[in-house]
Every structure is written in structure tokens, then in C-alpha cells.
Amino acid sequence: MATSTAISPPLLLLLLLLLTAGAVISPAAADDVKAENAGVPKYPNCSNDFQLVKVRYWVDGVDHGSITGMTARFGSLPPPLEEKAFRLPATFTTPLNGCSASTSKLNLSVALSVRGNCTYTAKAKDAEAAGAAALVIVNDSEELSEMVCSEDDTGASITIPVISVTKSAGEILNLSLAAGKKVELLLYSPERPPIDYSVIFVWLIAVGTVVIASLWSDLVGCECSNERYDELSKESATTDSGKNEPEDEVVDITVKSAVFFVFSASALLLLLFFFMETWLIWILIVLFCIGGIEGMHFCISGVLLRSRSSSGRRTMKLPFFGEVSVLSLSVLLFCVAFGVFWAVNRRSDYSWVGQDVLGICFMISVLQIVRLPNIKVATALLCCAFVYDIFWVFISPYLFQRSVMVTVARGDDAGGEAIPMVLRFPRFLDPWGGYDMLGFGDIIFPGLLLSFSRRFDKWNKKGLANGYFVYLAVGYGVGMFLTYIGLYLMDGQGQPALLYLVPCTLGTTVVLGLIRGELKDLWSCNGDSTTPSRPPGMA
């Protein structure tokens, strides 16, 4: 039978951290910079919206890729297509700050100057007067400067594009110019596609993970599920009663633990928001690897034991561990190597594959361990998560000037490191690149309810039509679809996915229960009644 056990501290911490990582769905561009800031004033002839700009550059004719810049409130805008932009030589102004007539030859070139000593419009007017086709201003920090006009000094006469770049980008260009090399720049500002087709794959991953996790015991068999817990332990001795039947390790959530869970996650979320340091991200990366490796071992062992059950019986003796399964040990070594490889290469372009594999396996294993005993607990957990998600995505900006959930999920203040407790998928058709993200909580929370509905259907011998699981799976898919509609209508602003998922899953369960007159059974059943270890009628 299924027994309730105390959840291990590492797993509990990981569950809290996956909540903190965000029940949020959000786009995360590779060069994710605000294209507009309503707090920066606009004046007549100085009212351009800030736009991201790709600055493609060549050194001695060799293409070195591109850096990111941002337009000013004044001046003309770069063309949206690369084919319509001109490749021009780059030259630093003399003086370097560009605050007086330049003695450098700037005719039909891109002028480079550094920030400081005079207004942005003064630099632009001097560069244009010297014949420059565009001006690139290097900031004194790793941010893109929002270049504006003063109320008395507008940019009415400036007709060239004026672009700001970061300090490090300026240093890259300066190194080549100082070495006497020819540097050429091409400026253009591509538009994002109106429809992001990558969300289709994120939708498929999310729905597929929830459905597979809910059907896992049917797919691999309950015997295989227990392999995860016996990976490096001695063979279980026969109990005093003579039975050697293993027990499933299950954690039944209670109403109190559900409420405490969400408040604890809120505290951890604030901790990450205010103290987002590289060392803290490293802790999350290590915890993520541990959870991902365990989950991957669980999934692979289950599938292999299902197809080759005899190979799982072979054992060997190891110092300190005693007799262990050869299959389990081999799978564990592979999973550790996979996790270490991902951690080492987590900043590479292909790291999203490893992160998603580890994350999906972790969530599948968690949904086999943590369970909802009834709809009463599900209502408490999902309603608290519903409020939690909305508050930290939509309401927190009024208290903290920006969305706490989106900031933590993207890792904006982590010095280039990102929170790993999210699924990512590249935006292949977006010229700015980046990823669509989905927080683990958006799968775990509804997944707990779908797993409960599947167990309830099995216990009550319900089919597809008169059961609950199929309807909840469809409801989850619809909720994810509505989430992306909200993301599109709100111009890419991060969405609290549980705002849509909770009504579409929990709401569906309650409505069906009322219509069928089974709501009382759903509300009051216990965990053991939905997960029998033997068919009804057997001792």
C-alpha cells in the first residue's frame, strides 16, 4: 500500500525553489533590454521610442558578429532590414568625448564617442556637422544609456541615427581601432515577429510532461517506480511477517502544509530578488543538478526495467554500499555525467536541451512522490498558488518598481547567470534570439491535480468519458493556450500562468463533480483510497 512518509529536506528545498523560480511564463530575449520607458520624458522633436539596434561589425573585413545598442529620443532610426543598411567605417571622434568640433575625418563614417562632459544632443550635432552618417556613444557602465533631450535643448536639427552601446562593447571596438585595424559597422533595428511559433513547442512540452507524469505508473509499472529508491542500497530484507513487498514512498500534502508552502516560497522569492548574487545562483544550480540527476535516474531506470526486467536483477558488491543493482549503478553514472556536462556548458547555445531534460525528469519524479489526497487539499494549494502567482507577477511592480517573479525567473541581477528551475525553448525565428520560459510551478501544481484525477478514475473504475483525467488534461491544454493569448495581447509581458491554469483544471474538476454528484467523494477521499495496492476485494 502507499504510505505517507516525511519528505527529505533536499527535496523539500528543491520544491520550494521551483515555486520561487516562478509559476510564470515569460519571453527572455538574449539581449533583453527595455525598448521603452514611460518614466523618461518626451519633448517636441525628441519623442522617439527607445528601440534596440543590432550593431554588426567587421574587423579587417572579417565578420565578428554583432553587439546590441539602443536608439535615442532624437535623430533618425536605423532601417529595420539589414539589406537596407549601409556598411560604413568606424572612427573615434577627436576629442574622444565628442563635445566640440572633431578634427577626425568623419565624412560618411560611423562616429564613436564616449559619454560625458556635454549633452547627447551636443555630441550628435558636432558629429553630424563633421559629416558622420551615424553616432555611436559608448556608455560608462554595462547598461544601455537612455539618451534624452533637455526641455530647452531639443534634437530638431539632428537627422542621423544616434545609438548607445555598453562599456564592454565600446572596449571591443576600441581594441581593434587602437591596433590600427579597419573596423566597419552596420546599424539596423529588426522587428520581432508578430507570432512566436516557439510557444507551440513549449505548449507541447508542458502538456506532454503533465500527461506522462500522471500516467507514469501505467506506462512503466509500479515495480519500476521503486527502483529509484533502491539505486545504491542493499537488497531489502524480508520483513518479520515474511512479506518482501516494497512500499511506495509517498508524501501526502495537507492543507496546513499547502498554505505554509506558498508563504515559504514567497519568502525565498524575496530573498532571491534582493540578494541575487552569483554564489546564490550557484547554489540553485547545484540543487537543480541533484534533483535533475535523481529524476533522470528514476525515469531511465523505470523505462529500462519495463523493457528488460531481468537485467535489473543483476547485482554487484561495492565498498560502503554493499550489494547494488548493476543497471541502477550504470544509469546513475550516466545521469551524473549528463548533469555535470550541462552544468559546465550551461551558457552554451545548446544548454537548453540538457536543462529541459533534467527539469522534465525531475518534475515527473516529484509527481510520483508528492500527492494530493483529495480536492479539499487541492483547493487550498491551488488557490494559494493562484494568489501567489498573480501577486508576484502583477502586483509586486507597484511595491518594488518591477515584477519580482519575472525578475527572478530571468535572473536579471545575477551577473549573467540564470535561474535553472525553468523550461526554456529558443525563439528560432526571432532576430533578437532569446528563449520562451515556463516555470516548474506551472507544471507541478496542475500536475498534482491531474495525477489525483487519474488515481481517482482508476480506483472508481471510470472510463475516458465518465472520468476526470481526460477533461483535466484538455483543461490544462486550454489554460496554457489562454496563457499565451494573454502573453500576446500584453505585448510579451510575463504572465502568471496559474491565473489561467487553476480555473481550467480545478474549476473543471469542481464543475464535473457537481454535475455528477461526486463532489463530496472528491472532497473527502484520502490518499490511500485513490491509490490501492491491490484490486478491490483482495486481502
Side-chain angles (χ1 to χ4, degrees), residues 6 60 94 308 354 430:
D60 286 341
T94 305
R308 302 177 63 183
D430 191 330

Side-chain angles (χ1 to χ4, degrees), residues 389-398 403 490 493-496 499:
D389 213 13
I390 294 174
F391 179 84
W392 291 115
V393 174
F394 282 156
I395 300 177
S396 62
Y398 297 100
S403 173
M490 298 185 69
Q493 180 181 348
Q495 294 293 298
L499 171 65

Side-chain angles (χ1 to χ4, degrees), residues 232 234 316-325 329:
L232 286 177
K234 296 181 180 180
M316 62 180 296
K317 289 187 178 182
L318 290 178
F320 305 109
F321 296 103
E323 194 169 10
V324 300
S325 165
L329 178 61

Side-chain angles (χ1 to χ4, degrees), residues 53-74:
V53 177
K54 281 186 176 291
V55 182
R56 191 173 175 186
Y57 69 102
W58 291 260
V59 178
D60 286 341
V62 179
D63 188 356
H64 282 251
S66 64
I67 55 181
T68 300
M70 188 165 65
T71 60
R73 281 279 195 232
F74 52 88

Side-chain angles (χ1 to χ4, degrees), residues 411-432:
D412 290 349
D413 302 325
E417 295 287 357
I419 297 289
M421 282 77 171
V422 292
L423 297 180
R424 298 189 300 155
F425 197 88
R427 307 175 77 175
F428 289 116
L429 301 180
D430 191 330
W432 294 102

